Amino acid sequence: MIKLNIQDTFNKELPADPNKNNTRRQVFEACYSFVTPRIPSNPSLVHVSKEMAETLGFSEEDLASQEFIDLFSGAKVMEGTAPFAMCYGGHQFGHWAGQLGDGRAINLMEVEHHQKRWALQLKGAGETPYSRTADGLAVLRSSIREHLCSEAMFHLGVPTTRSLSLSLSGDEVLRDMMYDGNSAYEKGAIVCRVAPSFVRFGNFQIFASRKDTDNLKKLADYTIRHFYPTIELGTPNAYLEFFNQVLDRTLEMVLAWQRVGFVHGVMNTDNLSILGLTIDYGPYGWLEGYDENWTPNTTDRQNARYRFGNQPGVAHWNLYQLANALFLLVGEAKPLEEALERFRPTFEKAYGEMMKSKLGLQEENVNPGLWATLETTLSLTETDMTIFFRLLSTISKSDQPAEAIAKIKPAFYQAEDLQGNVLEEWTAWFQIYLDYLQAEIVSEEDRQKNMNAVNPKYVLRNYMAQMAIDAADKGDYALIEELYQLIKEPYAEQVDQEKWFAKRPEWARDKVGCSMLSCSS
Ligand code: AMP
Ligand code: MG
């Protein structure tokens, strides 16, 4: 028998929807609706994150048991727990969309282990009152992407929700993957996600949109009490302080995305965590060639609202929407506006510090033009972001620009582009960069070590996840485990894994699932 230290709070302390039927509807004056996961026809376990399992207190025996498969595929509900789906709203692509909610996520329980409390949630375990016109299910390809990427982000040091397990339901799920009228059956899958809380900006917005100040306050008080313990409740100032802290955490999260080249793809307000965690891995992607205008999301190709370079701006826009919701509790607009005005300068400053660390510079007076010019130069010809920054640490103070360029050459997708104007720009940039390096007092060895701690060697490149998906579709899960092991130490050299320290192969350039993803999942 699996024994967990269950400590539910959300479904104990917050108002529930009195209607227990699993019918699609608008839910008012409640934070969630009780719902039971759908029984999968033939559940099986594909992969477990051992690291996450240990963090939650599962034993080896637990992981090998039938009970584990049953609990985390939705076949069985643990005694003493009451699963539920949350009610939230959101702005999708800039427009208020009304009630959304957990359409295919079902919260199982909260588990306490080593003084930390974790919420466990199944994604793809069937319909809920919030499923609207969809089926509440998820397919294997998107579930592999979520399972591996959330663990990869965690090990990269990016605030994120986690993943405990990936299971197959044994059921078939119909999807029109590219929204082009070609529907096909795919394998249904279920991920068990883990986070201190899955509350989003949209959970607050839905109450504000309905002028339900009473429940808005209950949710804010709950969130502050459990997740922002430095804030003293009891005055309107608490909600202002809450907003300021959410802003800081959101800023840190996006800053980390920009550092590692992660593009979320669907930064709607229902996909922004109130804890500043990366949440809802859908059509996300990793920058290969450095391109601020890139988005993996084909649904967003036209406006590219959620492109790489726009992520800080969208975070700010989303915080504005959250401020609008919290205004009902703060009572004054001015201090919220002041908080929002702080975002851009704070981000700029933090971004500068972050770029300096990527460049290995500790000196005080570095002109921000250095990274501004670098970003333009990186975009002149297709240059792999991850490889570029990783190789940058191999440059030494005594190098001439030509020697430095030779060292970072493997980052260029077309080495023959490195001539004429492109070569001149790189030479000019390295001349300035090498001058800065001369002024550094840390040893070359220490600088390299520092740089390699912020510039990952291995990220979950889009094509790598796709290779794991293609193999898993045929029943071979070895690559999922291989990539899982790889991404656990993204900053380590891992010399026997050099094959993954490589540019995207040409076959993956325009392949669906690699550079192009729709929201279909
Ligand atoms: P997303 O932007 O993908 O995070 O989803 C937006 C909304 O659609 C959320 O309320 C999801 O719960 C819901 N949703 C997405 N896919 C499904 C599905 N297959 N079944 C039910 N609801 C879904
Ligand atoms: Mg979502």
Side-chain angles (χ1 to χ4, degrees), residues 10 25-33 84-92 96-107 121-123 128-132 193 198-210 219 268-273 279-280:
F10 196 89
R25 58 185 180 264
Q26 292 288 308
V27 173
F28 298 96
E29 296 174 17
C31 287
Y32 57 92
S33 308
F84 62 93
M86 287 186 192
C87 180
Y88 55 78
H91 280 85
Q92 296 184 313
W96 177 244
Q99 178 182 302
L100 297 166
D102 285 333
R104 58 164 166 183
I106 298 178
N107 298 274
Q121 172 183 91
L122 299 184
K123 182 169 176 178
T128 76
Y130 309 95
S131 297
R132 296 178 294 151
R193 309 199 283 195
F198 290 98
V199 172
R200 304 139 188 269
F201 286 14
N203 294 64
F204 296 86
Q205 287 184 285
I206 191 70
F207 290 132
S209 77
R210 293 165 172 172
L219 180 64
N268 293 334
T269 57
D270 52 300
N271 289 340
L272 256 82
S273 139
I279 190 173
D280 278 9

Short mmCIF file of all heavy atoms in Angstrom, two decimals, residues 10 25-33 84-92 96-107 121-123 128-132 193 198-210 219 268-273 279-280:
data_model
loop_
_atom_site.label_atom_id
_atom_site.label_comp_id
_atom_site.label_asym_id
_atom_site.label_seq_id
_atom_site.Cartn_x
_atom_site.Cartn_y
_atom_site.Cartn_z
N PHE A 10 -6.40 23.19 -0.41
CA PHE A 10 -7.22 23.93 -1.38
C PHE A 10 -8.69 23.53 -1.29
O PHE A 10 -9.58 24.37 -1.19
CB PHE A 10 -6.68 23.70 -2.81
CG PHE A 10 -7.19 24.70 -3.82
CD1 PHE A 10 -6.51 25.89 -4.05
CD2 PHE A 10 -8.35 24.45 -4.54
CE1 PHE A 10 -6.98 26.81 -4.97
CE2 PHE A 10 -8.83 25.37 -5.47
CZ PHE A 10 -8.14 26.55 -5.69
N ARG A 25 -20.55 23.49 -17.48
CA ARG A 25 -21.38 24.61 -17.05
C ARG A 25 -20.53 25.79 -16.59
O ARG A 25 -19.31 25.66 -16.39
CB ARG A 25 -22.26 24.17 -15.88
CG ARG A 25 -21.43 23.64 -14.70
CD ARG A 25 -22.29 23.08 -13.58
NE ARG A 25 -21.47 22.60 -12.47
CZ ARG A 25 -21.12 21.33 -12.31
NH1 ARG A 25 -21.48 20.41 -13.18
NH2 ARG A 25 -20.36 20.97 -11.28
N GLN A 26 -21.18 26.91 -16.38
CA GLN A 26 -20.56 28.05 -15.71
C GLN A 26 -20.66 27.79 -14.21
O GLN A 26 -21.70 27.36 -13.73
CB GLN A 26 -21.31 29.34 -16.07
CG GLN A 26 -21.17 29.75 -17.54
CD GLN A 26 -19.78 30.27 -17.85
OE1 GLN A 26 -19.26 31.16 -17.18
NE2 GLN A 26 -19.17 29.72 -18.90
N VAL A 27 -19.56 28.01 -13.53
CA VAL A 27 -19.54 27.77 -12.08
C VAL A 27 -19.31 29.10 -11.37
O VAL A 27 -18.34 29.79 -11.66
CB VAL A 27 -18.43 26.76 -11.71
CG1 VAL A 27 -18.29 26.62 -10.20
CG2 VAL A 27 -18.73 25.40 -12.35
N PHE A 28 -20.23 29.45 -10.47
CA PHE A 28 -20.12 30.73 -9.78
C PHE A 28 -19.80 30.55 -8.30
O PHE A 28 -20.16 29.53 -7.70
CB PHE A 28 -21.43 31.52 -9.91
CG PHE A 28 -21.75 31.86 -11.35
CD1 PHE A 28 -22.60 31.06 -12.09
CD2 PHE A 28 -21.17 32.97 -11.96
CE1 PHE A 28 -22.89 31.36 -13.42
CE2 PHE A 28 -21.44 33.28 -13.28
CZ PHE A 28 -22.31 32.46 -14.01
N GLU A 29 -19.15 31.56 -7.75
CA GLU A 29 -18.89 31.62 -6.30
C GLU A 29 -18.22 30.37 -5.74
O GLU A 29 -18.51 29.95 -4.61
CB GLU A 29 -20.20 31.91 -5.56
CG GLU A 29 -20.75 33.27 -5.92
CD GLU A 29 -22.13 33.53 -5.34
OE1 GLU A 29 -22.54 32.84 -4.40
OE2 GLU A 29 -22.79 34.45 -5.84
N ALA A 30 -17.34 29.78 -6.55
CA ALA A 30 -16.61 28.59 -6.08
C ALA A 30 -15.24 28.60 -6.73
O ALA A 30 -15.08 29.08 -7.84
CB ALA A 30 -17.36 27.32 -6.46
N CYS A 31 -14.26 28.04 -6.00
CA CYS A 31 -12.90 27.96 -6.54
C CYS A 31 -12.68 26.69 -7.36
O CYS A 31 -11.73 26.59 -8.11
CB CYS A 31 -11.87 28.02 -5.42
SG CYS A 31 -11.71 29.67 -4.69
N TYR A 32 -13.58 25.70 -7.19
CA TYR A 32 -13.36 24.41 -7.86
C TYR A 32 -14.62 23.57 -7.81
O TYR A 32 -15.55 23.85 -7.05
CB TYR A 32 -12.22 23.64 -7.18
CG TYR A 32 -12.48 23.42 -5.71
CD1 TYR A 32 -13.11 22.27 -5.24
CD2 TYR A 32 -12.15 24.41 -4.77
CE1 TYR A 32 -13.39 22.10 -3.89
CE2 TYR A 32 -12.42 24.24 -3.43
CZ TYR A 32 -13.05 23.09 -3.00
OH TYR A 32 -13.33 22.93 -1.67
N SER A 33 -14.62 22.51 -8.61
CA SER A 33 -15.71 21.54 -8.62
C SER A 33 -15.12 20.14 -8.39
O SER A 33 -14.10 19.80 -8.99
CB SER A 33 -16.42 21.54 -9.98
OG SER A 33 -16.78 22.84 -10.33
N PHE A 84 -10.53 17.31 -7.67
CA PHE A 84 -11.33 18.46 -8.13
C PHE A 84 -10.66 19.16 -9.31
O PHE A 84 -9.45 19.00 -9.53
CB PHE A 84 -11.50 19.47 -6.98
CG PHE A 84 -10.20 20.04 -6.48
CD1 PHE A 84 -9.70 21.24 -7.00
CD2 PHE A 84 -9.45 19.39 -5.51
CE1 PHE A 84 -8.50 21.77 -6.56
CE2 PHE A 84 -8.24 19.92 -5.05
CZ PHE A 84 -7.77 21.11 -5.59
N ALA A 85 -11.47 19.94 -10.02
CA ALA A 85 -10.98 20.78 -11.12
C ALA A 85 -11.18 22.23 -10.71
O ALA A 85 -12.21 22.59 -10.14
CB ALA A 85 -11.74 20.48 -12.40
N MET A 86 -10.19 23.08 -11.01
CA MET A 86 -10.27 24.48 -10.60
C MET A 86 -11.03 25.33 -11.61
O MET A 86 -11.00 25.08 -12.81
CB MET A 86 -8.86 25.08 -10.49
CG MET A 86 -8.09 24.60 -9.29
SD MET A 86 -6.53 25.54 -9.23
CE MET A 86 -5.66 24.57 -8.00
N CYS A 87 -11.66 26.37 -11.07
CA CYS A 87 -12.37 27.34 -11.91
C CYS A 87 -11.45 28.55 -12.14
O CYS A 87 -10.96 29.13 -11.18
CB CYS A 87 -13.64 27.79 -11.21
SG CYS A 87 -14.60 28.99 -12.15
N TYR A 88 -11.20 28.86 -13.38
CA TYR A 88 -10.45 30.09 -13.67
C TYR A 88 -10.87 30.65 -15.02
O TYR A 88 -11.54 29.98 -15.80
CB TYR A 88 -8.93 29.87 -13.61
CG TYR A 88 -8.35 28.78 -14.48
CD1 TYR A 88 -8.15 28.97 -15.86
CD2 TYR A 88 -7.98 27.55 -13.94
CE1 TYR A 88 -7.59 27.98 -16.65
CE2 TYR A 88 -7.42 26.56 -14.73
CZ TYR A 88 -7.23 26.77 -16.09
OH TYR A 88 -6.68 25.80 -16.87
N GLY A 89 -10.50 31.89 -15.25
CA GLY A 89 -10.77 32.53 -16.54
C GLY A 89 -9.45 32.91 -17.17
O GLY A 89 -8.41 32.40 -16.77
N GLY A 90 -9.49 33.81 -18.14
CA GLY A 90 -8.22 34.24 -18.69
C GLY A 90 -8.35 35.09 -19.94
O GLY A 90 -9.39 35.07 -20.61
N HIS A 91 -7.28 35.82 -20.20
CA HIS A 91 -7.14 36.53 -21.48
C HIS A 91 -6.37 35.62 -22.42
O HIS A 91 -5.24 35.24 -22.11
CB HIS A 91 -6.35 37.83 -21.29
CG HIS A 91 -7.16 38.95 -20.75
ND1 HIS A 91 -7.37 39.14 -19.40
CD2 HIS A 91 -7.82 39.96 -21.40
CE1 HIS A 91 -8.12 40.22 -19.23
NE2 HIS A 91 -8.42 40.74 -20.41
N GLN A 92 -7.00 35.27 -23.53
CA GLN A 92 -6.31 34.45 -24.52
C GLN A 92 -5.94 35.33 -25.71
O GLN A 92 -6.82 35.98 -26.30
CB GLN A 92 -7.21 33.30 -24.99
CG GLN A 92 -7.54 32.33 -23.84
CD GLN A 92 -8.34 31.13 -24.31
OE1 GLN A 92 -9.32 31.29 -25.03
NE2 GLN A 92 -7.94 29.95 -23.91
N TRP A 96 -10.28 38.89 -23.45
CA TRP A 96 -10.91 38.21 -22.32
C TRP A 96 -11.77 37.07 -22.84
O TRP A 96 -12.62 37.24 -23.70
CB TRP A 96 -11.76 39.21 -21.52
CG TRP A 96 -12.51 38.57 -20.38
CD1 TRP A 96 -13.86 38.49 -20.26
CD2 TRP A 96 -11.94 37.92 -19.24
NE1 TRP A 96 -14.17 37.82 -19.09
CE2 TRP A 96 -13.01 37.45 -18.45
CE3 TRP A 96 -10.63 37.66 -18.81
CZ2 TRP A 96 -12.82 36.76 -17.25
CZ3 TRP A 96 -10.45 36.97 -17.62
CH2 TRP A 96 -11.54 36.53 -16.85
N ALA A 97 -11.54 35.87 -22.31
CA ALA A 97 -12.22 34.68 -22.82
C ALA A 97 -13.26 34.14 -21.85
O ALA A 97 -13.86 33.10 -22.11
CB ALA A 97 -11.18 33.61 -23.15
N GLY A 98 -13.46 34.81 -20.70
CA GLY A 98 -14.45 34.32 -19.75
C GLY A 98 -13.96 33.09 -19.01
O GLY A 98 -12.75 32.89 -18.84
N GLN A 99 -14.91 32.25 -18.60
CA GLN A 99 -14.54 31.06 -17.81
C GLN A 99 -13.81 30.02 -18.66
O GLN A 99 -14.29 29.66 -19.74
CB GLN A 99 -15.78 30.43 -17.19
CG GLN A 99 -15.46 29.17 -16.39
CD GLN A 99 -16.70 28.51 -15.81
OE1 GLN A 99 -17.46 29.11 -15.06
NE2 GLN A 99 -16.92 27.24 -16.18
N LEU A 100 -12.67 29.56 -18.18
CA LEU A 100 -11.94 28.47 -18.83
C LEU A 100 -11.91 27.31 -17.85
O LEU A 100 -12.72 26.42 -17.93
CB LEU A 100 -10.53 28.92 -19.23
CG LEU A 100 -10.49 30.06 -20.26
CD1 LEU A 100 -9.10 30.68 -20.35
CD2 LEU A 100 -10.93 29.57 -21.63
N GLY A 101 -10.98 27.34 -16.91
CA GLY A 101 -10.94 26.30 -15.87
C GLY A 101 -10.15 25.08 -16.29
O GLY A 101 -9.72 24.96 -17.43
N ASP A 102 -9.96 24.16 -15.33
CA ASP A 102 -9.24 22.91 -15.60
C ASP A 102 -10.10 22.03 -16.49
O ASP A 102 -10.89 21.21 -16.02
CB ASP A 102 -8.96 22.16 -14.28
CG ASP A 102 -7.85 22.78 -13.46
OD1 ASP A 102 -6.95 23.43 -14.05
OD2 ASP A 102 -7.86 22.61 -12.23
N GLY A 103 -9.93 22.16 -17.80
CA GLY A 103 -10.74 21.37 -18.73
C GLY A 103 -10.25 19.95 -18.86
O GLY A 103 -10.97 19.05 -19.26
N ARG A 104 -8.99 19.75 -18.55
CA ARG A 104 -8.45 18.38 -18.60
C ARG A 104 -7.38 18.18 -17.54
O ARG A 104 -6.47 17.37 -17.71
CB ARG A 104 -7.90 18.06 -19.97
CG ARG A 104 -6.83 19.02 -20.42
CD ARG A 104 -6.10 18.44 -21.57
NE ARG A 104 -5.31 19.45 -22.23
CZ ARG A 104 -4.61 19.22 -23.31
NH1 ARG A 104 -4.62 18.03 -23.85
NH2 ARG A 104 -3.91 20.18 -23.86
N ALA A 105 -7.49 18.94 -16.47
CA ALA A 105 -6.59 18.72 -15.34
C ALA A 105 -7.46 18.39 -14.15
O ALA A 105 -8.50 19.02 -13.94
CB ALA A 105 -5.76 19.96 -15.07
N ILE A 106 -7.04 17.39 -13.39
CA ILE A 106 -7.78 17.02 -12.18
C ILE A 106 -6.77 16.94 -11.03
O ILE A 106 -5.80 16.19 -11.09
CB ILE A 106 -8.55 15.69 -12.36
CG1 ILE A 106 -9.59 15.86 -13.48
CG2 ILE A 106 -9.19 15.27 -11.04
CD1 ILE A 106 -10.39 14.60 -13.79
N ASN A 107 -7.00 17.77 -10.03
CA ASN A 107 -6.13 17.81 -8.86
C ASN A 107 -6.46 16.62 -7.97
O ASN A 107 -7.62 16.41 -7.61
CB ASN A 107 -6.35 19.10 -8.08
CG ASN A 107 -6.00 20.31 -8.93
OD1 ASN A 107 -4.85 20.71 -8.98
ND2 ASN A 107 -6.98 20.85 -9.63
N GLN A 121 -1.44 16.64 -9.68
CA GLN A 121 -2.54 16.90 -10.61
C GLN A 121 -2.37 16.04 -11.87
O GLN A 121 -1.29 15.99 -12.44
CB GLN A 121 -2.48 18.39 -10.98
CG GLN A 121 -3.41 18.81 -12.06
CD GLN A 121 -3.27 20.28 -12.45
OE1 GLN A 121 -2.51 20.61 -13.33
NE2 GLN A 121 -4.02 21.17 -11.80
N LEU A 122 -3.45 15.39 -12.29
CA LEU A 122 -3.40 14.63 -13.53
C LEU A 122 -3.79 15.52 -14.69
O LEU A 122 -4.75 16.29 -14.59
CB LEU A 122 -4.36 13.44 -13.48
CG LEU A 122 -4.12 12.39 -12.40
CD1 LEU A 122 -5.12 11.24 -12.57
CD2 LEU A 122 -2.69 11.86 -12.44
N LYS A 123 -3.05 15.43 -15.79
CA LYS A 123 -3.44 16.16 -17.00
C LYS A 123 -3.81 15.13 -18.06
O LYS A 123 -3.00 14.26 -18.38
CB LYS A 123 -2.29 17.03 -17.48
CG LYS A 123 -2.62 17.86 -18.71
CD LYS A 123 -1.55 18.89 -18.97
CE LYS A 123 -1.81 19.67 -20.26
NZ LYS A 123 -0.78 20.70 -20.49
N THR A 128 -14.21 17.48 -17.31
CA THR A 128 -14.58 18.15 -16.07
C THR A 128 -15.68 19.16 -16.42
O THR A 128 -15.96 19.38 -17.60
CB THR A 128 -13.38 18.92 -15.48
OG1 THR A 128 -13.21 20.12 -16.24
CG2 THR A 128 -12.09 18.11 -15.51
N PRO A 129 -16.26 19.80 -15.42
CA PRO A 129 -17.26 20.83 -15.74
C PRO A 129 -16.67 21.97 -16.60
O PRO A 129 -17.41 22.78 -17.14
CB PRO A 129 -17.66 21.35 -14.36
CG PRO A 129 -17.45 20.17 -13.45
CD PRO A 129 -16.23 19.49 -13.99
N TYR A 130 -15.34 22.02 -16.72
CA TYR A 130 -14.69 23.11 -17.46
C TYR A 130 -14.18 22.68 -18.83
O TYR A 130 -13.40 23.39 -19.46
CB TYR A 130 -13.54 23.67 -16.61
CG TYR A 130 -13.99 24.01 -15.21
CD1 TYR A 130 -13.83 23.11 -14.16
CD2 TYR A 130 -14.64 25.21 -14.96
CE1 TYR A 130 -14.29 23.41 -12.88
CE2 TYR A 130 -15.11 25.52 -13.68
CZ TYR A 130 -14.93 24.61 -12.65
OH TYR A 130 -15.39 24.91 -11.39
N SER A 131 -14.60 21.51 -19.29
CA SER A 131 -14.05 21.00 -20.55
C SER A 131 -14.62 21.71 -21.78
O SER A 131 -14.12 21.51 -22.89
CB SER A 131 -14.29 19.49 -20.67
OG SER A 131 -13.61 18.80 -19.65
N ARG A 132 -15.65 22.50 -21.59
CA ARG A 132 -16.29 23.23 -22.71
C ARG A 132 -16.56 22.28 -23.87
O ARG A 132 -17.24 21.29 -23.68
CB ARG A 132 -15.42 24.42 -23.09
CG ARG A 132 -15.34 25.45 -21.93
CD ARG A 132 -14.47 26.62 -22.25
NE ARG A 132 -13.08 26.22 -22.40
CZ ARG A 132 -12.18 26.81 -23.17
NH1 ARG A 132 -12.54 27.88 -23.88
NH2 ARG A 132 -10.95 26.39 -23.23
N ARG A 193 1.36 16.01 -12.90
CA ARG A 193 2.16 17.20 -12.66
C ARG A 193 2.22 17.50 -11.16
O ARG A 193 1.32 17.13 -10.41
CB ARG A 193 1.53 18.42 -13.35
CG ARG A 193 1.20 18.19 -14.80
CD ARG A 193 1.02 19.51 -15.51
NE ARG A 193 -0.25 20.16 -15.25
CZ ARG A 193 -0.70 21.17 -16.00
NH1 ARG A 193 0.03 21.65 -17.01
NH2 ARG A 193 -1.87 21.73 -15.74
N PHE A 198 -1.22 25.07 -8.26
CA PHE A 198 -1.46 25.29 -9.69
C PHE A 198 -2.33 26.52 -9.94
O PHE A 198 -2.86 26.70 -11.02
CB PHE A 198 -2.11 24.05 -10.31
CG PHE A 198 -1.17 22.89 -10.42
CD1 PHE A 198 -1.17 21.89 -9.47
CD2 PHE A 198 -0.26 22.81 -11.46
CE1 PHE A 198 -0.28 20.81 -9.55
CE2 PHE A 198 0.64 21.76 -11.56
CZ PHE A 198 0.63 20.75 -10.61
N VAL A 199 -2.46 27.37 -8.94
CA VAL A 199 -3.29 28.58 -9.10
C VAL A 199 -2.64 29.53 -10.11
O VAL A 199 -1.42 29.69 -10.13
CB VAL A 199 -3.49 29.28 -7.73
CG1 VAL A 199 -4.18 30.62 -7.90
CG2 VAL A 199 -4.32 28.39 -6.81
N ARG A 200 -3.48 30.10 -10.96
CA ARG A 200 -3.02 30.96 -12.06
C ARG A 200 -3.56 32.38 -11.89
O ARG A 200 -4.48 32.60 -11.09
CB ARG A 200 -3.55 30.39 -13.38
CG ARG A 200 -3.16 28.95 -13.60
CD ARG A 200 -4.32 28.15 -14.19
NE ARG A 200 -3.98 26.71 -14.23
CZ ARG A 200 -3.40 26.12 -15.25
NH1 ARG A 200 -3.16 26.80 -16.35
NH2 ARG A 200 -3.09 24.84 -15.19
N PHE A 201 -3.06 33.30 -12.71
CA PHE A 201 -3.62 34.66 -12.70
C PHE A 201 -5.13 34.57 -12.91
O PHE A 201 -5.91 35.29 -12.30
CB PHE A 201 -3.03 35.52 -13.83
CG PHE A 201 -1.60 35.98 -13.62
CD1 PHE A 201 -0.79 35.42 -12.65
CD2 PHE A 201 -1.08 37.01 -14.41
CE1 PHE A 201 0.53 35.86 -12.47
CE2 PHE A 201 0.23 37.47 -14.23
CZ PHE A 201 1.03 36.88 -13.28
N GLY A 202 -5.52 33.68 -13.82
CA GLY A 202 -6.92 33.56 -14.21
C GLY A 202 -7.86 33.16 -13.08
O GLY A 202 -9.06 33.43 -13.16
N ASN A 203 -7.33 32.49 -12.04
CA ASN A 203 -8.19 32.13 -10.90
C ASN A 203 -8.70 33.39 -10.20
O ASN A 203 -9.80 33.42 -9.66
CB ASN A 203 -7.44 31.28 -9.88
CG ASN A 203 -7.05 29.92 -10.42
OD1 ASN A 203 -6.25 29.83 -11.35
ND2 ASN A 203 -7.61 28.86 -9.88
N PHE A 204 -7.86 34.44 -10.20
CA PHE A 204 -8.25 35.71 -9.58
C PHE A 204 -9.14 36.50 -10.54
O PHE A 204 -10.12 37.12 -10.15
CB PHE A 204 -7.00 36.52 -9.21
CG PHE A 204 -6.17 35.82 -8.17
CD1 PHE A 204 -5.21 34.87 -8.53
CD2 PHE A 204 -6.37 36.06 -6.82
CE1 PHE A 204 -4.47 34.20 -7.57
CE2 PHE A 204 -5.62 35.40 -5.84
CZ PHE A 204 -4.67 34.46 -6.23
N GLN A 205 -8.78 36.45 -11.80
CA GLN A 205 -9.52 37.22 -12.81
C GLN A 205 -10.99 36.81 -12.91
O GLN A 205 -11.84 37.66 -13.12
CB GLN A 205 -8.87 37.04 -14.19
CG GLN A 205 -7.56 37.78 -14.36
CD GLN A 205 -7.06 37.61 -15.78
OE1 GLN A 205 -6.57 36.55 -16.15
NE2 GLN A 205 -7.23 38.63 -16.60
N ILE A 206 -11.26 35.51 -12.76
CA ILE A 206 -12.64 35.07 -12.95
C ILE A 206 -13.56 35.71 -11.89
O ILE A 206 -14.66 36.17 -12.20
CB ILE A 206 -12.77 33.52 -12.98
CG1 ILE A 206 -14.17 33.10 -13.44
CG2 ILE A 206 -12.45 32.87 -11.65
CD1 ILE A 206 -14.46 33.36 -14.90
N PHE A 207 -13.09 35.79 -10.65
CA PHE A 207 -13.91 36.41 -9.59
C PHE A 207 -14.04 37.91 -9.83
O PHE A 207 -15.12 38.48 -9.68
CB PHE A 207 -13.31 36.15 -8.21
CG PHE A 207 -13.43 34.72 -7.76
CD1 PHE A 207 -12.34 34.04 -7.23
CD2 PHE A 207 -14.64 34.04 -7.87
CE1 PHE A 207 -12.45 32.72 -6.82
CE2 PHE A 207 -14.76 32.72 -7.47
CZ PHE A 207 -13.66 32.05 -6.94
N ALA A 208 -12.93 38.55 -10.21
CA ALA A 208 -12.98 40.00 -10.46
C ALA A 208 -13.94 40.31 -11.60
O ALA A 208 -14.71 41.27 -11.52
CB ALA A 208 -11.59 40.52 -10.75
N SER A 209 -13.92 39.48 -12.63
CA SER A 209 -14.79 39.74 -13.79
C SER A 209 -16.26 39.65 -13.40
O SER A 209 -17.13 40.23 -14.04
CB SER A 209 -14.49 38.76 -14.92
OG SER A 209 -15.05 37.50 -14.63
N ARG A 210 -16.53 38.87 -12.34
CA ARG A 210 -17.92 38.72 -11.86
C ARG A 210 -18.21 39.60 -10.65
O ARG A 210 -19.24 39.41 -10.00
CB ARG A 210 -18.16 37.24 -11.52
CG ARG A 210 -18.12 36.34 -12.76
CD ARG A 210 -18.00 34.88 -12.38
NE ARG A 210 -18.16 34.02 -13.56
CZ ARG A 210 -17.95 32.71 -13.57
NH1 ARG A 210 -17.56 32.11 -12.46
NH2 ARG A 210 -18.13 32.00 -14.66
N LEU A 219 -9.62 33.66 -1.97
CA LEU A 219 -8.54 33.04 -2.74
C LEU A 219 -7.21 33.76 -2.50
O LEU A 219 -6.17 33.11 -2.36
CB LEU A 219 -8.89 33.05 -4.24
CG LEU A 219 -7.84 32.43 -5.15
CD1 LEU A 219 -7.66 30.94 -4.87
CD2 LEU A 219 -8.20 32.65 -6.62
N ASN A 268 -1.01 33.07 -22.27
CA ASN A 268 -2.31 33.63 -21.89
C ASN A 268 -2.36 33.74 -20.37
O ASN A 268 -1.62 33.03 -19.68
CB ASN A 268 -3.43 32.73 -22.40
CG ASN A 268 -3.50 32.73 -23.93
OD1 ASN A 268 -3.09 33.70 -24.57
ND2 ASN A 268 -4.01 31.65 -24.50
N THR A 269 -3.23 34.61 -19.85
CA THR A 269 -3.20 34.82 -18.39
C THR A 269 -3.63 33.56 -17.62
O THR A 269 -3.31 33.42 -16.45
CB THR A 269 -4.07 36.00 -17.94
OG1 THR A 269 -5.41 35.79 -18.40
CG2 THR A 269 -3.54 37.32 -18.48
N ASP A 270 -4.34 32.66 -18.28
CA ASP A 270 -4.70 31.40 -17.62
C ASP A 270 -3.50 30.46 -17.59
O ASP A 270 -3.55 29.42 -16.92
CB ASP A 270 -5.89 30.72 -18.31
CG ASP A 270 -5.68 30.56 -19.80
OD1 ASP A 270 -5.50 31.60 -20.48
OD2 ASP A 270 -5.67 29.43 -20.30
N ASN A 271 -2.44 30.80 -18.30
CA ASN A 271 -1.24 29.97 -18.30
C ASN A 271 -0.10 30.63 -17.53
O ASN A 271 1.05 30.28 -17.71
CB ASN A 271 -0.79 29.67 -19.74
CG ASN A 271 -1.74 28.71 -20.43
OD1 ASN A 271 -2.49 28.00 -19.78
ND2 ASN A 271 -1.73 28.70 -21.74
N LEU A 272 -0.43 31.61 -16.70
CA LEU A 272 0.59 32.22 -15.83
C LEU A 272 0.32 31.88 -14.39
O LEU A 272 -0.75 32.18 -13.84
CB LEU A 272 0.66 33.75 -16.04
CG LEU A 272 1.90 34.09 -16.89
CD1 LEU A 272 1.59 33.87 -18.35
CD2 LEU A 272 2.45 35.44 -16.62
N SER A 273 1.30 31.23 -13.78
CA SER A 273 1.15 30.76 -12.41
C SER A 273 1.27 31.92 -11.43
O SER A 273 2.10 32.81 -11.61
CB SER A 273 2.25 29.72 -12.15
OG SER A 273 2.81 29.87 -10.87
N ILE A 279 4.29 27.13 -16.45
CA ILE A 279 3.19 26.17 -16.36
C ILE A 279 2.55 25.98 -17.74
O ILE A 279 2.60 26.88 -18.58
CB ILE A 279 2.12 26.66 -15.33
CG1 ILE A 279 1.09 25.57 -15.02
CG2 ILE A 279 1.44 27.92 -15.78
CD1 ILE A 279 0.12 25.95 -13.89
N ASP A 280 1.97 24.80 -17.94
CA ASP A 280 1.28 24.44 -19.18
C ASP A 280 2.20 24.40 -20.39
O ASP A 280 2.23 25.31 -21.22
CB ASP A 280 0.10 25.40 -19.45
CG ASP A 280 -1.13 24.99 -18.64
OD1 ASP A 280 -1.00 24.10 -17.78
OD2 ASP A 280 -2.21 25.55 -18.86
#
